[in-house]
Amino acid sequence: AQKVTQAQTEISVVEKEDVTLDCVYETRDTTYYLFWYKQPPSGELVFLIRRNSFDEQNEISGRYSWNFQKSTSSFNFTITASQVVDSAVYFCALDGSGNTGKLIFGQGTTLQVKP
Amino acid sequence: DAGVIQSPRHEVTEMGQEVTLRCKPISGHDYLFWYRQTMMRGLELLIYFNNNVPIDDSGMPEDRFSAKMPNASFSTLKIQPSEPRDSAVYFCASSGQLNTEAFFGQGTRLTVV
């Protein structure tokens, strides 16, 4: 079965703090893809990153970084020096159904960054 | 490109009425997805198309739901008859290839009273 678990329902931090959003996935596929999306208060879903199962290199993009560890089936997302504009719901997603493009989303983590 | 365009943004309808949600994918994208977002079930895929052909509709909850893609630039999701439990935000997304990022529209917030 394919499953994505985001155990943190809500996180609240003060601006400039670092924060890590956890994502644990389950799949029997050897080839799969992992994604992070951001859903700001306006409601749209914004793509952040895509990672395939053969690429375990960590990725950094500005204040954002991602840690992919196949050994623990985790794909965690860290925001460094958080800002109020980072306040949103963040979704981790898995595409593992034989590469169909069918995304399995986690329940999302609501991040609130306070000034 | 203007991105994925959905209409209407908000829809309020009475139980039993037919509802049609519309989507214009990004030009050149071969894949189109319909997702539904609710508090209880989160984001779930309803159906997706490749080159206008439905590939996987296993997520469509009931026969009351149907989706079409008559051409590469237009898709509809229809609910007939609508029920209060259909109230949700419906997202359309498109992608150029499988496993690449899907670009989402702004969603249609449906309320069935």
Side-chain angles (χ1 to χ4, degrees):
Chain A
Q2 319 274 338
K3 186 178 179 182
V4 176
T5 302
Q6 294 180 256
Q8 304 150 308
T9 305
E10 293 185 21
I11 300 176
S12 181
V13 300
V14 176
E15 207 170 18
K16 299 185 182 177
E17 286 185 16
D18 298 347
V19 57
T20 295
L21 310 181
D22 297 333
C23 173
V24 175
Y25 62 92
E26 296 176 29
T27 180
R28 293 181 180 175
D29 292 309
T30 55
T31 300
Y32 52 89
Y33 296 81
L34 296 164
F35 300 78
W36 276 94
Y37 280 85
K38 174 182 179 179
Q39 187 174 40
S42 51
E44 73 273 23
L45 282 158
V46 179
F47 166 81
L48 296 178
I49 189 171
R50 163 184 171 266
R51 171 69 76 224
N52 75 54
S53 53
F54 299 107
D55 182 2
E56 286 194 73
Q57 282 192 340
N58 292 334
E59 177 139 350
I60 298 175
S61 176
R63 296 183 297 107
Y64 295 171
S65 62
W66 290 269
N67 185 319
F68 176 30
Q69 293 197 347
K70 288 178 73 172
S71 60
T72 56
S73 297
S74 65
F75 186 43
N76 296 338
F77 172 33
T78 297
I79 302 175
T80 303
S82 59
Q83 300 176 2
V84 173
V85 292
D86 295 327
S87 297
V89 182
Y90 291 86
F91 291 95
C92 180
L94 165 71
D95 175 7
S97 303
N99 302 328
T100 62
K102 178 177 179 177
L103 288 177
I104 307 297
F105 282 88
Q107 284 298 100
T109 297
T110 299
L111 173 64
Q112 184 181 31
V113 181
K114 299 178 181 178
Chain B
D1 199 313
V4 176
I5 300 173
Q6 291 185 246
S7 64
R9 291 292 310 280
H10 302 274
E11 176 80 33
V12 180
T13 190
E14 291 185 348
M15 183 175 62
Q17 296 297 306
E18 177 181 296
V19 176
T20 299
L21 312 182
R22 297 173 175 77
C23 175
K24 181 181 187 308
I26 292 173
S27 177
H29 280 187
D30 293 332
Y31 292 87
L32 184 139
F33 306 85
W34 282 100
Y35 286 88
R36 179 172 68 174
Q37 185 177 31
T38 61
M39 288 296 293
M40 291 297 294
R41 300 175 65 89
L43 273 159
E44 50 183 350
L45 178 70
L46 300 178
I47 185 172
Y48 83 93
F49 296 82
N50 177 23
N51 291 323
N52 313 338
V53 176
I55 303 301
D56 184 348
D57 65 354
S58 58
M60 296 286 262
E62 301 172 32
D63 291 344
R64 298 184 296 105
F65 286 70
S66 62
K68 293 182 180 179
M69 193 165 185
N71 57 63
S73 59
F74 184 64
S75 176
T76 60
L77 177 67
K78 185 178 293 187
I79 308 173
Q80 166 65 18
S82 58
E83 297 181 3
R85 59 192 169 123
D86 301 331
S87 298
V89 180
Y90 291 81
F91 286 100
C92 176
S94 70
S95 66
Q97 300 173 38
L98 273 181
N99 313 127
T100 59
E101 61 269 30
F103 293 86
F104 283 74
Q106 293 199 301
T108 294
R109 182 174 296 277
L110 173 65
T111 303
V112 183
V113 297

